[in-house]
Structures are given as structure tokens and as C-alpha cells.
Amino acid sequence: MSFNGATPEVLQFRGQQMISAARASVIMCCEPVWVLPFTVAFLGTPLSLSQILGCAVILFAMLRQVVLRSKSGG
């Protein structure tokens, strides 16, 4: 079986069914943050300032959400 067709998508959907919607959304928000280092490492793509700032904004928003959630008791 090939691991490059629908298999990763099916595994992702199955995993999302096993966790809460809030946790799944945080994980999905991480995807662009993880893709960027991999493209730099494996493809040698140079980083632009907008890409770095975009990752920083995503990480800040996720951190803010986690901190607010923990303070509210949710």
C-alpha cells in the first residue's frame, strides 16, 4: 500500500475523531508552523520575513488560547 495517496488523510481524520474539536483545531493550526522548518531542512528553501512573522503569530495565538483556556478552567 502506498503512503502518499489518501492514506495520510484517512489517518488524520481518524485521529481527529479520537480527540476533542478544540484540541484538533490547535493541532491543525500547527501544520504551517511544522511545514516551514521541514521545507528549510529538506528543500533548502530560504525563509522570508513574512514566513517567520506568520509562524510567530500562529504560535502566539495558540499559546494565548492555551493560557486563556487554562485560566478559565476549561
Side-chain angles (χ1 to χ4, degrees):
M1 177 184 346
S2 174
F3 197 70
N4 58 356
T7 306
E9 303 297 326
V10 170
L11 292 175
Q12 177 181 335
F13 296 145
R14 294 282 188 219
Q16 287 175 344
Q17 291 173 345
M18 296 178 186
I19 60 176
S20 69
R23 186 168 291 198
S25 67
V26 170
I27 291 170
M28 293 307 295
C29 286
C30 291
E31 190 170 359
V33 176
W34 288 111
V35 167
L36 191 63
F38 281 109
T39 59
V40 171
F42 293 115
L43 302 176
T45 307
L47 291 177
S48 69
L49 181 60
S50 64
Q51 290 171 321
I52 295 169
L53 289 175
C55 283
V57 167
I58 291 171
L59 288 172
F60 176 75
M62 290 184 336
L63 179 63
R64 182 173 176 262
Q65 182 65 25
V66 168
V67 169
L68 288 177
R69 216 168 211 290
S70 65
K71 285 184 179 179
S72 70

Coordinates of all heavy atoms in Angstrom, one line a residue:
M1 N 0.8 -1.2 0.0 CA 0.0 0.0 0.0 C 0.9 1.2 0.0 O 1.9 1.3 0.7 CB -0.9 0.0 1.2 CG -1.7 1.3 1.3 SD -2.8 1.6 2.7 CE -3.1 0.2 3.6
S2 N 0.5 2.2 -0.8 CA 1.3 3.5 -0.9 C 0.9 4.4 0.2 O -0.3 4.5 0.6 CB 1.0 4.1 -2.2 OG 1.6 5.4 -2.3
F3 N 1.9 5.1 0.7 CA 1.6 6.0 1.8 C 1.5 7.5 1.4 O 1.6 8.4 2.1 CB 2.7 5.9 2.9 CG 2.4 6.5 4.2 CD1 1.4 5.9 5.0 CD2 2.9 7.7 4.6 CE1 1.1 6.4 6.2 CE2 2.6 8.2 5.9 CZ 1.7 7.6 6.7
N4 N 1.3 7.7 0.1 CA 1.3 9.0 -0.4 C 0.0 9.4 -1.1 O -0.2 10.5 -1.5 CB 2.4 9.3 -1.5 CG 2.3 8.3 -2.6 OD1 1.5 7.5 -2.7 ND2 3.2 8.5 -3.6
G5 N -1.0 8.6 -1.0 CA -2.3 8.9 -1.6 C -3.3 9.4 -0.5 O -3.0 10.4 0.2
A6 N -4.3 8.7 -0.4 CA -5.4 9.1 0.6 C -5.0 8.6 2.0 O -5.7 9.0 3.0 CB -6.7 8.6 0.2
T7 N -4.0 7.8 2.2 CA -3.7 7.2 3.5 C -3.4 8.2 4.5 O -4.0 8.1 5.6 CB -2.5 6.2 3.3 OG1 -2.8 5.2 2.3 CG2 -2.3 5.5 4.6
P8 N -2.6 9.2 4.3 CA -2.4 10.2 5.4 C -3.6 11.0 5.7 O -3.8 11.3 6.9 CB -1.3 11.2 4.8 CG -0.7 10.4 3.7 CD -1.7 9.4 3.2
E9 N -4.5 11.2 4.8 CA -5.7 12.0 5.0 C -6.6 11.1 5.9 O -7.2 11.6 6.8 CB -6.4 12.3 3.7 CG -5.6 13.2 2.8 CD -5.2 14.5 3.3 OE1 -6.0 15.1 4.1 OE2 -4.1 15.0 3.0
V10 N -6.7 9.8 5.6 CA -7.6 8.9 6.4 C -7.1 8.8 7.8 O -7.9 8.9 8.7 CB -7.7 7.5 5.7 CG1 -8.4 6.5 6.6 CG2 -8.4 7.6 4.4
L11 N -5.8 8.7 8.0 CA -5.2 8.6 9.3 C -5.5 9.9 10.1 O -5.7 9.9 11.3 CB -3.7 8.3 9.2 CG -3.3 6.9 8.7 CD1 -1.8 6.8 8.5 CD2 -3.9 5.9 9.6
Q12 N -5.3 11.0 9.4 CA -5.6 12.3 10.1 C -7.1 12.4 10.5 O -7.3 12.8 11.6 CB -5.3 13.5 9.1 CG -5.6 14.8 9.7 CD -5.3 15.9 8.7 OE1 -4.5 15.8 7.8 NE2 -6.0 17.1 8.9
F13 N -8.0 12.0 9.6 CA -9.4 12.1 10.0 C -9.7 11.1 11.2 O -10.5 11.5 12.0 CB -10.3 11.8 8.8 CG -10.2 12.8 7.7 CD1 -10.2 12.4 6.4 CD2 -10.0 14.1 8.0 CE1 -10.1 13.3 5.4 CE2 -9.9 15.1 7.0 CZ -10.0 14.7 5.6
R14 N -9.1 10.0 11.1 CA -9.4 9.0 12.2 C -8.8 9.6 13.5 O -9.5 9.4 14.6 CB -8.7 7.7 11.9 CG -9.2 6.9 10.8 CD -10.5 6.3 11.2 NE -10.9 5.4 10.1 CZ -12.2 5.3 9.7 NH1 -13.1 5.9 10.3 NH2 -12.5 4.5 8.7
G15 N -7.7 10.2 13.5 CA -7.1 10.8 14.7 C -7.9 11.9 15.2 O -8.1 12.0 16.4
Q16 N -8.5 12.7 14.3 CA -9.3 13.8 14.8 C -10.6 13.4 15.4 O -11.1 14.0 16.3 CB -9.7 14.7 13.6 CG -8.5 15.5 13.1 CD -8.8 16.3 11.9 OE1 -9.8 16.1 11.2 NE2 -8.0 17.3 11.6
Q17 N -11.1 12.2 15.0 CA -12.3 11.7 15.6 C -12.0 11.2 17.1 O -13.0 11.1 17.9 CB -12.8 10.5 14.8 CG -13.3 10.9 13.5 CD -13.7 9.7 12.6 OE1 -13.3 8.5 12.9 NE2 -14.5 9.9 11.6
M18 N -10.8 11.0 17.4 CA -10.5 10.4 18.8 C -10.2 11.5 19.8 O -10.0 11.2 21.0 CB -9.3 9.5 18.7 CG -9.5 8.3 17.8 SD -8.0 7.3 17.7 CE -8.5 6.1 16.6
I19 N -10.1 12.8 19.4 CA -9.8 13.9 20.3 C -10.9 14.9 20.2 O -11.7 14.9 19.3 CB -8.4 14.5 20.0 CG1 -8.3 15.0 18.6 CG2 -7.3 13.5 20.3 CD1 -7.0 15.7 18.3
S20 N -10.9 15.9 21.1 CA -11.9 16.9 21.1 C -11.7 17.9 19.9 O -10.6 18.0 19.4 CB -11.8 17.8 22.4 OG -10.6 18.5 22.5
A21 N -12.7 18.6 19.6 CA -12.6 19.5 18.5 C -11.6 20.7 18.8 O -10.9 21.1 17.9 CB -14.0 20.1 18.2
A22 N -11.6 21.1 20.0 CA -10.7 22.2 20.4 C -9.2 21.7 20.2 O -8.4 22.5 19.6 CB -10.9 22.6 21.8
R23 N -8.9 20.5 20.6 CA -7.6 20.0 20.5 C -7.2 19.8 19.1 O -6.1 20.1 18.6 CB -7.4 18.7 21.3 CG -6.0 18.2 21.4 CD -5.8 17.2 22.4 NE -5.9 17.8 23.7 CZ -5.5 17.3 24.8 NH1 -4.9 16.1 24.8 NH2 -5.6 17.9 25.9
A24 N -8.1 19.3 18.3 CA -7.9 19.0 16.9 C -7.6 20.3 16.1 O -6.7 20.4 15.3 CB -9.1 18.3 16.2
S25 N -8.3 21.4 16.5 CA -8.1 22.7 15.8 C -6.7 23.3 16.2 O -6.1 23.8 15.3 CB -9.2 23.7 16.2 OG -9.1 24.0 17.6
V26 N -6.3 23.1 17.4 CA -4.9 23.6 17.8 C -3.9 22.8 17.0 O -2.9 23.4 16.5 CB -4.7 23.4 19.3 CG1 -3.3 23.7 19.6 CG2 -5.6 24.4 20.0
I27 N -4.1 21.5 16.9 CA -3.1 20.7 16.1 C -3.1 21.1 14.7 O -2.0 21.2 14.1 CB -3.4 19.2 16.3 CG1 -3.2 18.7 17.7 CG2 -2.6 18.3 15.3 CD1 -3.7 17.4 18.1
M28 N -4.2 21.3 14.1 CA -4.3 21.7 12.7 C -3.7 23.1 12.5 O -3.1 23.4 11.4 CB -5.7 21.7 12.2 CG -6.3 20.3 12.1 SD -5.3 19.1 11.2 CE -5.4 19.8 9.6
C29 N -3.8 24.0 13.4 CA -3.1 25.3 13.3 C -1.6 25.2 13.3 O -0.9 26.0 12.8 CB -3.6 26.2 14.5 SG -5.3 26.8 14.3
C30 N -1.1 24.1 13.9 CA 0.3 23.9 14.0 C 0.9 23.5 12.6 O 2.1 23.6 12.4 CB 0.7 22.8 15.0 SG 0.4 23.3 16.7
E31 N 0.1 23.0 11.7 CA 0.6 22.4 10.5 C 1.5 23.4 9.7 O 2.6 23.0 9.3 CB -0.5 22.0 9.6 CG -0.1 21.2 8.4 CD -1.3 20.5 7.7 OE1 -2.4 20.7 8.1 OE2 -1.0 19.8 6.7
P32 N 1.2 24.7 9.5 CA 2.1 25.5 8.7 C 3.4 25.8 9.5 O 4.4 26.0 8.9 CB 1.3 26.8 8.5 CG 0.0 26.7 9.2 CD -0.1 25.3 9.7
V33 N 3.3 25.8 10.8 CA 4.5 26.0 11.6 C 5.5 24.9 11.5 O 6.7 25.1 11.4 CB 4.1 26.2 13.1 CG1 5.3 26.4 14.0 CG2 3.2 27.4 13.3
W34 N 5.0 23.6 11.4 CA 5.8 22.5 11.2 C 6.3 22.3 9.7 O 7.4 21.8 9.5 CB 5.1 21.2 11.6 CG 5.0 21.1 13.1 CD1 3.9 21.2 13.8 CD2 6.1 21.0 14.0 NE1 4.1 21.2 15.2 CE2 5.5 21.0 15.3 CE3 7.4 20.9 13.9 CZ2 6.2 20.9 16.5 CZ3 8.2 20.7 15.1 CH2 7.6 20.8 16.4
V35 N 5.5 22.8 8.8 CA 5.9 22.6 7.4 C 7.1 23.5 7.1 O 8.0 23.1 6.4 CB 4.7 23.0 6.5 CG1 5.2 23.1 5.0 CG2 3.7 21.9 6.6
L36 N 7.2 24.7 7.6 CA 8.2 25.6 7.3 C 9.6 25.1 7.7 O 10.5 25.1 6.8 CB 8.0 27.0 8.0 CG 8.9 28.1 7.6 CD1 8.6 28.4 6.1 CD2 8.6 29.3 8.5
P37 N 9.9 24.6 8.9 CA 11.2 24.0 9.1 C 11.6 22.8 8.3 O 12.7 22.6 7.9 CB 11.2 23.6 10.6 CG 10.0 24.2 11.2 CD 9.0 24.6 10.1
F38 N 10.5 22.0 7.9 CA 10.8 20.9 7.1 C 11.2 21.3 5.6 O 12.1 20.7 5.0 CB 9.6 19.9 7.0 CG 9.6 19.0 8.2 CD1 8.6 19.2 9.2 CD2 10.5 18.0 8.4 CE1 8.5 18.4 10.3 CE2 10.5 17.2 9.5 CZ 9.5 17.4 10.5
T39 N 10.6 22.4 5.1 CA 10.9 22.8 3.8 C 12.3 23.4 3.8 O 13.1 23.3 2.8 CB 9.9 23.9 3.3 OG1 9.9 25.0 4.1 CG2 8.6 23.3 3.1
V40 N 12.7 24.1 4.9 CA 14.0 24.6 5.0 C 15.0 23.5 5.1 O 16.1 23.5 4.4 CB 14.2 25.6 6.2 CG1 15.6 25.9 6.5 CG2 13.3 26.8 6.0
A41 N 14.8 22.5 5.9 CA 15.7 21.4 6.1 C 15.8 20.5 4.9 O 17.0 20.1 4.6 CB 15.3 20.6 7.4
F42 N 14.7 20.1 4.3 CA 14.8 19.1 3.2 C 14.9 19.7 1.8 O 15.5 19.1 0.9 CB 13.6 18.2 3.3 CG 13.5 17.3 4.5 CD1 12.6 17.5 5.4 CD2 14.5 16.4 4.7 CE1 12.5 16.7 6.6 CE2 14.5 15.6 5.8 CZ 13.5 15.7 6.7
L43 N 14.4 20.9 1.6 CA 14.4 21.5 0.3 C 15.4 22.7 0.2 O 15.6 23.2 -0.9 CB 13.0 22.0 -0.1 CG 11.9 20.9 -0.1 CD1 10.6 21.5 -0.4 CD2 12.3 19.8 -1.1
G44 N 15.9 23.2 1.4 CA 16.8 24.3 1.3 C 16.1 25.6 1.0 O 16.8 26.5 0.5
T45 N 14.8 25.7 1.2 CA 14.1 26.9 0.9 C 14.5 28.0 1.9 O 14.4 27.8 3.1 CB 12.6 26.7 1.0 OG1 12.3 25.6 0.1 CG2 11.8 27.9 0.5
P46 N 14.9 29.2 1.4 CA 15.2 30.3 2.3 C 13.9 30.9 2.9 O 12.8 30.9 2.3 CB 15.8 31.4 1.4 CG 15.3 31.1 0.0 CD 15.1 29.6 0.0
L47 N 14.0 31.3 4.2 CA 12.9 31.9 4.9 C 12.7 33.4 4.6 O 13.7 34.1 4.5 CB 13.1 31.8 6.4 CG 13.0 30.4 7.0 CD1 13.3 30.4 8.4 CD2 11.7 29.8 6.7
S48 N 11.5 33.8 4.4 CA 11.3 35.2 4.2 C 10.8 35.8 5.6 O 10.4 35.0 6.5 CB 10.2 35.5 3.2 OG 8.9 35.0 3.6
L49 N 10.8 37.1 5.7 CA 10.4 37.7 7.0 C 8.9 37.5 7.2 O 8.5 37.2 8.3 CB 10.7 39.2 6.9 CG 10.3 40.0 8.1 CD1 11.1 39.5 9.4 CD2 10.6 41.5 7.9
S50 N 8.1 37.5 6.1 CA 6.7 37.3 6.3 C 6.4 35.8 6.8 O 5.5 35.6 7.6 CB 5.9 37.5 5.0 OG 6.3 36.6 4.0
Q51 N 7.2 34.9 6.4 CA 7.0 33.5 6.9 C 7.4 33.4 8.3 O 6.7 32.7 9.1 CB 7.9 32.5 6.0 CG 7.4 32.3 4.6 CD 8.4 31.6 3.8 OE1 9.6 31.7 3.9 NE2 7.8 30.7 2.9
I52 N 8.4 34.0 8.7 CA 8.9 34.0 10.1 C 7.8 34.7 11.0 O 7.4 34.2 12.0 CB 10.2 34.6 10.3 CG1 11.3 33.8 9.6 CG2 10.6 34.8 11.8 CD1 12.6 34.5 9.5
L53 N 7.3 35.8 10.5 CA 6.3 36.5 11.3 C 5.0 35.8 11.3 O 4.3 35.7 12.4 CB 6.0 37.9 10.7 CG 7.2 38.9 10.9 CD1 6.9 40.2 10.1 CD2 7.4 39.2 12.3
G54 N 4.6 35.1 10.3 CA 3.4 34.3 10.2 C 3.5 33.1 11.3 O 2.5 32.9 12.0
C55 N 4.7 32.5 11.3 CA 4.8 31.4 12.3 C 4.7 32.0 13.7 O 4.2 31.4 14.6 CB 6.2 30.7 12.1 SG 6.1 29.5 10.7
A56 N 5.4 33.1 13.9 CA 5.3 33.8 15.3 C 3.9 34.1 15.7 O 3.5 33.9 16.8 CB 6.2 35.0 15.3
V57 N 3.1 34.6 14.7 CA 1.7 35.0 15.0 C 0.9 33.7 15.4 O 0.1 33.7 16.3 CB 1.1 35.7 13.8 CG1 -0.4 35.8 14.0 CG2 1.7 37.1 13.7
I58 N 1.1 32.6 14.6 CA 0.4 31.4 14.9 C 0.8 30.8 16.2 O -0.1 30.5 17.0 CB 0.7 30.4 13.8 CG1 0.0 30.8 12.5 CG2 0.2 29.0 14.2 CD1 0.4 30.0 11.3
L59 N 2.0 30.8 16.5 CA 2.5 30.3 17.8 C 2.0 31.1 19.0 O 1.5 30.6 20.0 CB 4.0 30.2 17.9 CG 4.6 29.1 17.0 CD1 6.1 29.2 17.0 CD2 4.2 27.7 17.5
F60 N 2.0 32.5 18.8 CA 1.5 33.4 19.8 C 0.0 33.2 20.1 O -0.5 33.1 21.2 CB 1.8 34.8 19.5 CG 1.2 35.8 20.4 CD1 1.7 36.0 21.7 CD2 0.0 36.5 20.1 CE1 1.2 36.9 22.6 CE2 -0.5 37.4 21.0 CZ 0.0 37.6 22.2
A61 N -0.8 33.0 19.0 CA -2.2 32.8 19.1 C -2.5 31.5 19.8 O -3.4 31.4 20.6 CB -2.9 32.9 17.7
M62 N -1.8 30.5 19.5 CA -2.0 29.2 20.1 C -1.7 29.2 21.6 O -2.4 28.7 22.4 CB -1.2 28.1 19.4 CG -1.8 27.7 18.0 SD -1.0 26.4 17.2 CE 0.6 26.3 17.8
L63 N -0.5 29.9 21.9 CA -0.1 30.0 23.3 C -1.1 30.8 24.1 O -1.5 30.4 25.2 CB 1.3 30.6 23.4 CG 1.8 30.9 24.7 CD1 2.1 29.5 25.4 CD2 3.1 31.6 24.7
R64 N -1.6 31.9 23.5 CA -2.6 32.7 24.1 C -3.9 31.9 24.4 O -4.5 32.0 25.5 CB -2.9 33.9 23.2 CG -3.9 34.9 23.8 CD -4.0 36.1 23.0 NE -5.0 37.0 23.5 CZ -6.2 37.1 23.0 NH1 -6.6 36.3 22.0 NH2 -7.1 37.9 23.6
Q65 N -4.3 31.1 23.4 CA -5.5 30.3 23.6 C -5.3 29.3 24.7 O -6.2 29.1 25.5 CB -5.8 29.6 22.3 CG -7.1 28.8 22.3 CD -8.3 29.6 22.5 OE1 -8.4 30.8 22.2 NE2 -9.4 29.1 23.1
V66 N -4.2 28.7 24.8 CA -3.9 27.7 25.8 C -3.9 28.3 27.2 O -4.5 27.8 28.1 CB -2.6 26.9 25.5 CG1 -2.2 26.1 26.7 CG2 -2.8 26.0 24.3
V67 N -3.3 29.5 27.3 CA -3.2 30.2 28.6 C -4.6 30.7 29.0 O -5.0 30.5 30.2 CB -2.2 31.4 28.5 CG1 -2.3 32.3 29.7 CG2 -0.8 30.9 28.3
L68 N -5.3 31.2 28.1 CA -6.7 31.7 28.4 C -7.6 30.5 28.8 O -8.4 30.6 29.8 CB -7.3 32.5 27.3 CG -6.8 33.8 27.0 CD1 -7.4 34.4 25.7 CD2 -6.9 34.8 28.2
R69 N -7.4 29.4 28.2 CA -8.2 28.2 28.5 C -7.9 27.7 29.8 O -8.8 27.3 30.6 CB -8.0 27.1 27.4 CG -9.1 26.4 27.1 CD -8.8 25.5 25.8 NE -9.9 25.3 25.0 CZ -10.9 24.5 25.3 NH1 -10.9 23.9 26.4 NH2 -11.9 24.3 24.5
S70 N -6.6 27.7 30.2 CA -6.2 27.2 31.5 C -6.7 28.1 32.6 O -7.0 27.7 33.7 CB -4.7 26.9 31.6 OG -4.0 28.2 31.5
K71 N -6.7 29.4 32.4 CA -7.1 30.4 33.4 C -8.6 30.3 33.6 O -9.1 30.5 34.7 CB -6.7 31.8 33.0 CG -5.3 32.1 33.2 CD -5.0 33.5 32.9 CE -3.5 33.8 33.1 NZ -3.2 35.2 32.8
S72 N -9.4 30.0 32.5 CA -10.8 29.9 32.6 C -11.3 28.6 33.2 O -12.5 28.4 33.4 CB -11.5 30.2 31.3 OG -11.3 29.1 30.4
G73 N -10.4 27.6 33.3 CA -10.7 26.3 33.9 C -11.3 25.4 32.8 O -11.8 24.3 33.2
G74 N -11.2 25.7 31.5 CA -11.7 24.8 30.5 C -10.7 24.0 30.0 O -10.6 23.1 29.4

